[in-house]
Amino acid sequence: MWFTGYCCGVKGRARTTATEEQERSKPGAVMGCTPSILSNGSNNQQQQQSRKDSSGLYAGNVAAAAAAAAAAASGNGSSSHGNECGASANNNKLGTVNQTMVNTAFPSARDGGTEKESSAKKDSIVSITASGHITSFPIVSTTVRRPTAGSGTSSSSGRYGHRKSSLALTPEEEPLDSCPRLVSDLKFPNLLPPNPAIKILIAFCKNDPVFEALVNASHRLSFEPTFVKSAEAAIDAFQNPTAGGHHIIIVDARYPRIIEAEALGRSIRNSKGSQHTTMVAVVKKSVFEKDDTAVISLLDVGYNRCIIESPHVSICSSELRQIQHSLVRPQNVISTQQALYTALHRSREAVIITDDTLRAQYANRASERVLNMKLDEIVGRSLGDLVTADISNILSHTSRYKDYDGYLTTRRKSQESSQIHVRAVPVSCIGRNPTHLVLILESSASALASISAAGEALQTLPQGKEVARGSLHSIRRPSFDVRSIASDGLRRTSLVKLSSLPLEAPITKVLSLLAQVQENCSLEEAKLLDRVMEFLKREGLYSPQMKEIRPEDPVATDLIGALLTQGPTNILSSRRSSNDSIIRGGGRPSTGSIVFNKTKESSQLSDLLHTALDWDFEIFKLEELTDKRPLVCLGLELFRRFDVYNTFNCDEMTFKLWLIEMEKNYHSENTYHNSTHAADVMQATAVYLQQLSNRELKIMDRMDEATALIAAATHDIDHPGRSSAFLCNSDDMLAVLYNDICVLESHHAATTFRLTLADDKINIFKHLDRDSYKLARSIIVDMILATEMTRHFEHLAKFVSVFGTDVESKEPLPPDNDDNQILVRRMLIKCADVSNPTRPLRFCVEWARRIAEEYFMQTDEEKRKALPIVMPMFDRTTCSISKSQIGFIEYIIHDMMDAWNSFIEMPEIVRYMEFNYSQWKLFEEQGINTLSDIKRKQLSLAEEPSSIISLEEKF
Ligand SMILES: Nc1ncnc2c1ncn2[C@@H]1O[C@@H]2COP(=O)(O)O[C@H]2[C@H]1O
């Protein structure tokens, strides 16, 4: 008796559960991790039908396009792949549904030496896949010969030794049984299919000769059989989590009263995970011969094949073998799609697969973000509805099996459209022409995110020639065009070099991390992240914004604007072209040593210096007692207290001479930026350092303390009493020297070292070893430069982002790395530099008067010389000094002192600041605005106490 095969390749129902069916009925719906793809049908109905009726074809197309997409998205794709896929299909000699499916899905590695078995396969497979028609004919089973790997010989175990083999992904040229291969042996795609031992479940109600023959055949083929005698036991066995999951189920359909084969088939097909199981029904010969309705019913409920009963082991074994190769093996291959789909769906690059009319059949998750549309809005639409592009141009490339590289404009919903890079890879699933296009879309965000990944790719891959030089895409896009390798070789070499260096800007890392977050977030969140990334890519990340300054507050606007703006004033006013430099010098103290009145002053001085670390230190008294040379006295005292002489291994005399030289280079005629200001900043620095050491936070070592004091002492040396903007506007040589960038602070730092190194007698660094000197120098320069106000918000924001502003938190984060230490040092000198609004009221008002006077003098000079006026509101005839102080505290001081207090715990600075602020408000209400108003007010303040407690009590 001959076995007769009956296959459901086309006619059989799609092997889907009810839920899957429902899910699939939504266009573009995603089933678990495995998303759907539309078939080639031209309308939805057809698509549905086609899905149901041609699972093999459908799966083949999916796999082909998905594999091409995965390969192209991973950078391995090329036009040759697209062509090859098509070529494989075209060269397919097998002419069977299932073979076509396998063939188109996974073009072969060319192993060679398999011609014979190829024809054997062809014979055997053609015999069983007669397009759904019932056929009955002898099977040339003896012609099926497959070489064992390596030896090329056959033996019963070797010939059928599938447990050793790797089930081939690819068609005719792959040996069906071979040794386990390396992934690298596979050409395309690099995904080995699963290669498990084949589990077979045999549900037979009695142990008759047909059953015995099947059992023996399955042993001969080294299948792992399980035997059951009822439908219930079959379902239990199949669903058993440890023993279940059979590749083949053979059901005895000869005795429906004992085993109701149709019902059992339905139940199995409704069980989870049965989609890759092959179901075979054994029917009586008479059923086959008389009427095909019973067979068709079995196929319709989900059996893949009906075979005629046979008591012969060889016939059973050849039948099982055919089932293995024509059904089980392709199912195993198809099951690998899950992994490909998962890869594709999680890919950062947006991938859309279209049919040959450019109608989207599949879209992965990233395409939602790039197109700003939901998946079900994308799938089913024509490409022209999704993007603005010259579609005929794309098609003209792809119809010639060429990849297309170019740009599209998205038609984003409720957003302005944006440019995206697209690469279109043609894929042929059936016939000669491309049946699908794999479109890989890349927005600028993902391009940025993949820069580092591209760095790696660059080491092995050449760059695309069609894309603009230097663009992100030019970094990203690989191409196998030989000419592009040659022409872009130089650029690539340098990029490769760059990528191999341990270089990566923190901002690149941040953008890359954000882009990763973007992959798995909602559309809304992705949009927000887009905006965040836009901001992050801007220059001047920490550049202050003036948005919160009220326009009706012109004094504040003027002052803050001038403080935070660098370079020449951008005013179209009549500028003189003269290169007048500012008036310098005059009234400098002599170089002679300081001689104090030995009697009264010296005792007053020593009393005063006793309080050198008090916050209400009488700085103006020191100025008076030292005849406007407070820096030397206070400096020596503070250096002594902080053991600077030992730290620098340098005698006190060198430090004294150094202080004299430094102080000499402050301009005593400046009302504000003179050596009293330097001494004041040095004193505030010392108080902060003291506070930090009291708190036993191991933040500042002796070198840090010494360098902080030195930086404070010299941070405004040779200040001309005019702002950097003034120097730029007046073409001062300093502005020319420093290119209008950070002019004054650069000059202060440079002057400090120029003077110190010029004379060994005052060189306080002379006994430091080279490394210590370099460290000291870098700290001092960095601290002085940090006093530049244009970067005020940058320093503050960085400090707050690391250390926070939570006053309640008693344990501030220790600055445990170099970067954080730099933040603390910068914040320290900044707070010291503008500490005047946080000092006792008397001092605060005096400093305000002095800075206002200096600003007025600048405005006077600007007017006199017809220069742009940097702060027009600081006109001595019109200015409200009270208002300027209110604005200064509100916009510059308040947040900074809050943050600083929470770090070093000096609540008095915030209390003084708040008290002073309230007083300025009061003064403003009282009409105390001009210099003379302030001076008058100072007369009454002279008697006021310094301590904040007494001040608060009194007022
Ligand atoms: N009380 C104040 N009122 C207005 N501006 C001030 C006050 N104190 C300091 N400044 C400004 O803040 C700047 C800080 O850096 P400079 O010392 O270079 O110059 C300082 C002044 O321009």
Side-chain angles (χ1 to χ4, degrees), residues 124-408:
S124 62
I125 293 166
V126 167
S127 72
I128 60 165
T129 55
S131 306
H133 300 293
I134 302 168
T135 50
S136 172
F137 48 87
I139 295 169
V140 199
S141 57
T142 50
T143 64
V144 179
R145 289 284 183 275
R146 293 169 186 93
T148 7
S151 68
T153 58
S154 301
S155 70
S156 69
S157 67
R159 195 169 56 185
Y160 300 117
H162 56 267
R163 297 195 63 163
K164 280 192 203 156
S165 77
S166 174
L167 288 168
L169 275 171
T170 51
E172 67 271 39
E173 287 159 331
E174 288 277 336
L176 292 180
D177 293 330
S178 60
C179 275
R181 292 162 303 178
L182 295 173
V183 170
S184 53
D185 292 342
L186 288 171
K187 194 173 172 189
F188 170 69
N190 292 337
L191 181 65
L192 282 169
N195 182 27
I198 292 184
K199 286 191 193 173
I200 179 166
L201 177 64
I202 303 178
F204 263 59
C205 51
K206 52 181 172 187
N207 294 0
D208 63 3
V210 176
F211 171 76
E212 296 295 339
L214 275 172
V215 171
N216 286 336
S218 57
H219 281 307
R220 187 186 277 187
L221 299 177
S222 301
F223 289 179
E224 285 183 0
T226 310
F227 314 107
V228 289
K229 293 202 160 177
S230 67
E232 294 72 33
I235 293 167
D236 282 353
F238 181 71
Q239 291 177 345
N240 182 328
T242 46
H246 299 87
H247 300 93
I248 304 171
I249 301 179
I250 300 196
V251 177
D252 188 353
R254 295 171 300 162
Y255 309 102
R257 284 206 200 125
I258 308 176
I259 292 181
E260 223 278 81
E262 275 192 32
L264 174 59
R266 231 178 265 117
S267 301
I268 296 282
R269 282 298 173 216
N270 284 329
S271 305
K272 202 170 169 222
S274 73
Q275 71 271 25
H276 296 305
T277 293
T278 298
M279 288 211 313
V280 179
V282 177
V283 295
K284 287 187 174 166
K285 190 175 179 231
S286 55
V287 172
F288 237 126
E289 285 172 350
K290 273 188 219 147
D291 176 15
D292 66 354
T293 50
V295 169
I296 290 172
S297 302
L298 287 166
L299 294 176
D300 279 350
V301 299
Y303 284 88
N304 299 82
R305 186 164 176 166
C306 294
I307 58 176
I308 298 173
E309 60 183 350
S310 168
H312 301 292
V313 177
S314 60
I315 291 178
C316 287
S317 133
S318 112
E319 187 65 33
L320 286 182
R321 194 54 147 173
Q322 290 182 63
I323 289 167
Q324 179 192 354
H325 290 298
S326 64
L327 295 168
V328 178
R329 190 166 156 260
Q331 285 293 355
N332 277 343
V333 173
I334 290 167
S335 71
T336 60
Q337 288 169 33
Q338 185 78 20
L340 287 175
Y341 270 130
T342 306
L344 199 54
H345 216 52
R346 300 279 174 94
S347 164
R348 273 192 207 157
E349 284 175 309
V351 177
I352 295 174
I353 301 176
T354 72
D355 61 13
D356 53 347
T357 64
L358 290 180
R359 189 169 54 92
Q361 294 191 288
Y362 164 86
N364 71 349
R365 205 187 287 161
S367 49
E368 282 195 326
R369 175 176 43 78
V370 171
L371 296 180
N372 197 29
M373 287 177 173
K374 294 235 181 295
L375 282 185
D376 53 8
E377 294 174 293
I378 301 171
V379 176
R381 285 228 202 157
S382 149
L383 187 66
D385 295 341
L386 303 171
V387 295
T388 311
D390 184 355
I391 287 172
S392 58
N393 192 19
I394 298 177
L395 286 176
S396 81
H397 272 76
T398 54
S399 62
R400 287 179 282 132
Y401 294 111
K402 286 205 166 136
D403 285 12
Y404 168 84
D405 253 304
Y407 288 87
L408 307 171

